[in-house]
Amino acid sequence: MQQHQQQFIDAAPGFRLWTEQLGPADAPPLLLIAGATMPGPGWPEPLVDALAAHHRVIRYDHRDTGRSTWAFDERPYRITDLAQDVIAVLDGLGIGRAHIVGLSLGGMLAQLALADHPDRLLSATLIGTNALSTVPYTRPDGTEIPAADLPGISPEVLEMWARPVEDHGPEAELDRRVAHWRLLAGPQLPFDTDYFRDLERGIIEHTGHYTSSTAHGRADHSGMLRTEQLAANKIPTLVISAPAEPVFPPPHPHHLTQAIGTAHLVEIAGMGHALPPAVHAPLAGALLRHTGATA
């Protein structure tokens, strides 16, 4: 039976998280973990629908996003607390083990789940993220690069992130968010302004306001390295390589596959740090092959 069910779960004292389930209730569960400041509806509907044809797909709003509790200033938390929310969502929905897919910050939270709660996972997919490991990257020629010396975030993205977000009304906020997606999407695929504007308009309608939270950027990022645990990982792990990625550009995906046991790599042509329509079908195909939902 297909389901489209929304419910709130209590993840931690003072924090309730909005969740949504789509797809057959008896299908293998697949949990989508969004990036920083991104609520569940940041996962595009066509991609979610493709996955929900084979999975019980769950997406949720992080703390300080969407319809979940916004309370960082009163109750500050660590990024590792957001990783505990991943398990809290599974617990709250009565799910023992799930496939997980993490994008950007969500990819870091997925790695923390791999390291700390492997018994709760069926598989993991990491998109647009970096390894929580000090293992050096070994080039094809055999030379090594320290993890700390891998390429950083593009100057254009850093410059935009450094600008204060000012309130000039909802349409100006949509303009700002679309400009942000234009930078994140990278230069290899045509940029669809209307698509990303509609995506963000839907997020604002879901949230009920157009305020952008800065909580995840201000949260304590310490205590996230899991070098030994990730090297010993036995959970099937897929790393998506995005050649136009401006936040964690190549060879970050290749470094992930070296740092995480059992990891393998699939490249999505033209992809950057965004999920435009052109990547939905190839990304869904790679995810479903990895989860075993399709041959």
Side-chain angles (χ1 to χ4, degrees), residues 33 202-203:
I33 311 169
I203 287 170

Side-chain angles (χ1 to χ4, degrees), residues 13 18 70 72 81 97-98 124 133 160 184 194 212 214 222 237 252:
W18 175 89
W70 292 52
F72 181 82
D81 293 324
R97 299 182 72 195
S133 170
M160 186 165 195
L184 293 180
D194 291 339
S212 287
T214 60
S222 65
T237 301
H252 277 283

Side-chain angles (χ1 to χ4, degrees), residues 47-241:
L47 176 62
V48 172
D49 289 344
L51 298 174
H54 302 273
H55 286 285
R56 173 188 177 187
V57 176
I58 304 105
R59 54 184 176 176
Y60 71 100
D61 293 345
H62 292 299
R63 305 179 191 193
D64 290 275
T65 75
R67 298 177 183 175
S68 293
T69 305
W70 292 52
F72 181 82
D73 289 332
E74 296 79 33
R75 293 185 292 280
Y77 48 81
R78 300 159 59 93
I79 296 298
T80 50
D81 293 324
L82 297 180
Q84 290 299 321
D85 288 350
V86 172
I87 305 306
V89 168
L90 298 182
D91 288 344
L93 299 178
I95 296 170
R97 299 182 72 195
H99 302 280
I100 62 171
V101 180
L103 172 65
S104 194
L105 173 67
M108 299 178 195
L109 304 183
Q111 289 177 71
L112 291 171
L114 275 175
D116 299 344
H117 301 281
D119 58 310
R120 304 302 300 276
L121 306 185
L122 296 169
S123 77
T125 299
L126 310 176
I127 308 170
T129 193
N130 66 322
L132 303 182
S133 170
T134 57
V135 169
Y137 168 61
T138 303
R139 290 191 180 105
D141 66 5
T143 59
E144 291 187 345
I145 302 176
D149 293 342
L150 290 173
I153 301 167
S154 79
E156 295 82 7
V157 171
L158 284 175
E159 191 274 332
M160 186 165 195
W161 286 356
R163 291 183 215 158
V165 176
E166 299 175 343
D167 184 357
H168 296 291
E171 292 304 313
E173 174 61 15
L174 283 169
D175 291 343
R176 186 192 70 81
R177 295 188 189 188
V178 170
H180 184 217
W181 281 122
R182 186 183 296 275
L183 285 179
L184 293 180
Q188 295 189 20
L189 295 173
F191 185 77
D192 187 336
T193 299
D194 291 339
Y195 168 80
F196 282 101
R197 196 173 190 88
D198 287 345
L199 177 74
E200 287 293 345
R201 198 183 300 278
I203 287 170
I204 289 171
E205 290 174 359
H206 166 77
T207 304
H209 58 80
Y210 60 87
T211 301
S212 287
S213 173
T214 60
H216 298 167
R218 291 184 288 137
D220 184 346
H221 284 62
S222 65
M224 293 175 62
L225 283 177
R226 295 291 189 276
T227 303
E228 292 79 14
Q229 297 95 321
L230 291 173
N233 174 58
K234 303 297 184 189
I235 302 298
T237 301
L238 170 64
V239 176
I240 297 296
S241 177

Side-chain angles (χ1 to χ4, degrees), residues 18-57:
W18 175 89
T19 72
E20 180 185 51
Q21 301 177 72
L22 305 101
D26 58 350
L30 186 153
L31 177 65
L32 299 172
I33 311 169
T37 75
M38 183 62 67
W43 292 97
E45 299 291 342
L47 176 62
V48 172
D49 289 344
L51 298 174
H54 302 273
H55 286 285
R56 173 188 177 187
V57 176

